[in-house]
Each structure stands twice: as C-alpha cells, then as structure tokens.
Amino acid sequence: MPQISFEFFPPQTPRGRVNLVRTAKVLERFQPAFYSVTYGAGGSTRERTFAAVASLRESGVNAIPHLSWSGDREDAIVALLDDYLELGVDRVVALRGDLPSGAGTSRQLRHADSLVRLIRSRIDAPLGIEVAAYPEVHPDAPSASTDIDFLKGKIEAGATGCITQYFYNAEAYFHFRDRCAAAGIDVPIVPGVMPISNYETLVRFSAKAGVDIPRWIQRHLDEIQGDRDALLAFGTEVVSRLCRRLLDDGAPGLHFYTLNKAPPTRAIAERIGLPFPTG
Ligand code: FAD
C-alpha cells in the first residue's frame, strides 16, 4: 500500500487551528499515514507548530512536526522533541531550513545531517526521521552528485525515509530515485506533490525552491490564471496524471503539500482512486 501523507503549515490563530482540524478530517477518508506540520524559517513558528500538532492529535489524527536547527541550541531542540514524544509523536521531518527573509547571509545554517545525528544521539525512543530530497537538485547544491552524496549522509546519520521537493517532471523523480539506489540509498523516497490551485503562489514558490514548471504547463496557466474553475480542473488533470505515473512506476507513496486547503488535494486523491483497496 502506498504511504499517503498531507502537509500543513501552522495556523496563526486558535480559530485557524479549528479550521485546520476540519481540513484534516476532510482528508482523513484517504487514510493518510500521517499529517505533517511545517516549522517556520528561523524557528518562527516553534509554538504554533507545536500547538497545531497538539490540536490535530487531540482530534484523533496522526500529526507529526517538522523541525529545523533555526538558531536553536541543542538542548532546546531536545526539550521540544521530548514534548512531542509526550504527545505520542513517533516520527519527525528533520531539516536544515532556510533563513527568514531579510536575515541576510552572514548566519551559517547547520545542515540537516547534524540534526538527524543529534536526534539519534539524544533520543532513545524509536523515532522515524524523514529528510528532504531534491529530484531537480537543491538550489544551493554545487552539483547533482554532491546533493545525492549529502542525502546519503543524512541516511547514514539515521534518517529512515525521504520526502522530495515537489516537481512536475516524472522523469526527474525516476532518474533521481535510480541514482539514489545506485549510491546505496535504500530508504523509501516518497514524492512530494504540489496541487496547482493558485498561479502566483506556484510561480513564486517554484522560483525560490528551484522547481521547474514545464513550459507547456506554464503557458497553459498563463492563459487560464484568472479562471479559478479552469485552473482547478487543469491542475487536477495534470497532477493526477503525474501521481498515477509515479505510483504505477513504483513510487512508495505520495506526500501532498496541501497549503491547508482540502479541495485541490481532495480532487486529486479522488481522481487517482484513493484510498486504494487493501489485500
Ligand atoms: P540540507 O540537507 O542541509 O541541504 C541543504 C543544502 O546543503 C543542499 O544543497 C545540500 O546538497 C547541501 N548539504 C547537505 N548536507 C551538507 C553537508 N553536510 N555539508 C555541506 N553541504 C551539505 N523549510 C522550512 O523552513 N520549514 C519546513 O517545515 C520545511 N519543510 C520541508 C519539507 C520537505 C519535504 C522539503 C522537501 C522541504 C522543506 N523545507 C522546509 C524547505 C527546506 O528547509 C529547504 O529546502 C532548505 O533549503 C534545505 O533543507 P534540507 O533539510 O534539505 O537541508
């Protein structure tokens, strides 16, 4: 059975948290393995991420946190992890993170492998650790090969799985997966999936994250950007086809970047027939 998961960002307000629980309940019918909640650049959402994970878990869904160094001292991260373990969390997504915009470039970020190492050295509980992977190569990486070498370093440090940056070229994922396998990376590499629902957001995110929007998609989006229904229909069609192709060719699951909205993700999940029957 492919592993399905849904990503949220932490809401600003208690009311936002109530809405997020509602969104999670809508997506629950697709039987996700977990919902993950992001951690803002620079640790800016430490409390809000915790509060969102806590509310979601209280409502009965399996929510897990993202974590990054973000200038925190080791003891602060271990204390936060202990609090998460008390909530029953059994998996985290461990990241380097990015500097908050406007932070300049003078501060050095510590890489994700050192966070994985810290978690393994200080936490006894059997915790799953997901790390980020980049089929289209991380923007800071000197080369595709070194990016894979560093990913291998994160696995050797103790990560148990990878979730990828989103992409719209299935071949980029397959090529990356095969190179990872050849490099001896043997944990699941779950593709990240970004539904297409807002033109400006997609273009902005993709430029920052080094994600290629294929020309044919870009040109079609240019044409329909003012028409919400057409955008949703086109996005559902394109992304559902991508998901089917990924699963048919052996991807171990799908991780949806929901942007806290149920309808675009739900439309894709329904189109591809989730949840798949067991047995
Ligand atoms: P790293 O693995 O440290 O890699 C960053 C860069 O450094 C890469 O170019 C890599 O090749 C290189 N590198 C890695 N290890 C080493 C090393 N030991 N020495 C030298 N170079 C090295 N951001 C957030 O702020 N909050 C989130 O919650 C969040 N969630 C995410 C979830 C997923 C699934 C993904 C794919 C990304 C997420 N991001 C999030 C974005 C992420 O923080 C950025 O992509 C960030 O720039 C890199 O984080 P990383 O963990 O991949 O870093």
Side-chain angles (χ1 to χ4, degrees):
M1 271 288 278
Q3 172 189 284
I4 303 302
S5 49
F6 298 119
E7 182 172 308
F8 295 142
F9 58 83
Q12 302 271 3
T13 60
R15 192 190 164 88
R17 282 198 288 281
V18 172
N19 287 337
L20 191 63
V21 167
R22 216 171 278 144
T23 300
K25 293 286 182 185
V26 170
L27 296 174
E28 190 69 358
R29 78 184 69 156
F30 304 115
Q31 299 176 7
F34 62 88
Y35 299 80
S36 74
V37 183
T38 60
Y39 196 71
S44 53
T45 68
R46 192 177 297 104
E47 287 76 21
R48 284 196 280 123
T49 297
F50 187 86
V53 169
S55 307
L56 286 161
R57 294 191 71 86
E58 264 167 36
S59 82
V61 307
N62 184 24
I64 64 154
H66 294 206
L67 269 183
S68 71
W69 277 116
S70 302
D72 281 339
R73 284 182 304 115
E74 296 193 356
D75 288 347
I77 291 184
V78 174
L80 181 59
L81 269 166
D82 282 337
D83 290 344
Y84 277 124
L85 291 174
E86 267 187 34
L87 291 182
V89 161
D90 63 358
R91 186 191 311 233
V92 297
V93 182
L95 303 144
R96 178 195 75 171
D98 288 314
L99 288 172
S101 46
T105 50
S106 57
R107 241 174 75 195
Q108 272 293 68
L109 287 164
R110 296 171 76 176
H111 288 289
D113 60 336
S114 61
L115 180 55
V116 177
R117 224 169 279 117
L118 171 74
I119 298 171
R120 285 293 175 232
S121 67
R122 300 279 298 274
I123 300 289
D124 278 338
L127 197 63
I129 305 180
E130 305 287 337
V131 288
Y134 301 86
E136 294 183 325
V137 187
H138 185 271
D140 301 347
S143 70
S145 307
T146 52
D147 213 19
I148 289 176
D149 292 343
F150 288 131
L151 178 60
K152 192 170 180 200
K154 295 196 274 192
I155 309 306
E156 287 169 350
T160 49
C162 310
I163 302 174
T164 79
Q165 183 58 278
Y166 68 92
F167 53 86
Y168 296 104
N169 299 299
E171 286 311 320
Y173 172 79
F174 294 124
H175 178 73
F176 177 73
R177 179 191 63 182
D178 294 348
R179 286 192 70 179
C180 287
I185 295 173
D186 57 2
V187 301
I189 302 176
V190 173
V193 175
M194 179 70 93
I196 299 174
S197 61
N198 181 303
Y199 179 79
E200 281 92 20
T201 310
L202 182 71
V203 169
R204 186 160 38 85
F205 276 16
S206 304
K208 186 160 176 269
V211 170
D212 181 44
I213 307 180
R215 180 179 161 84
W216 67 274
I217 296 183
Q218 176 97 46
R219 292 310 302 260
H220 194 75
L221 291 176
D222 279 340
E223 219 174 294
I224 60 170
Q225 59 174 300
D227 182 341
R228 265 186 63 192
D229 291 344
L231 197 74
L232 188 61
F234 176 71
T236 302
E237 167 75 26
V238 167
V239 179
S240 300
R241 238 194 263 171
L242 172 69
C243 292
R244 271 260 66 104
R245 168 99 208 279
L246 292 168
L247 293 175
D248 286 349
D249 281 352
L254 299 170
H255 177 81
F256 288 89
Y257 297 103
T258 70
L259 304 181
N260 292 11
K261 293 190 185 79
T265 294
R266 185 180 58 199
I268 297 163
E270 281 171 353
R271 180 77 69 92
I272 65 175
L274 292 179
F276 298 130
T278 44

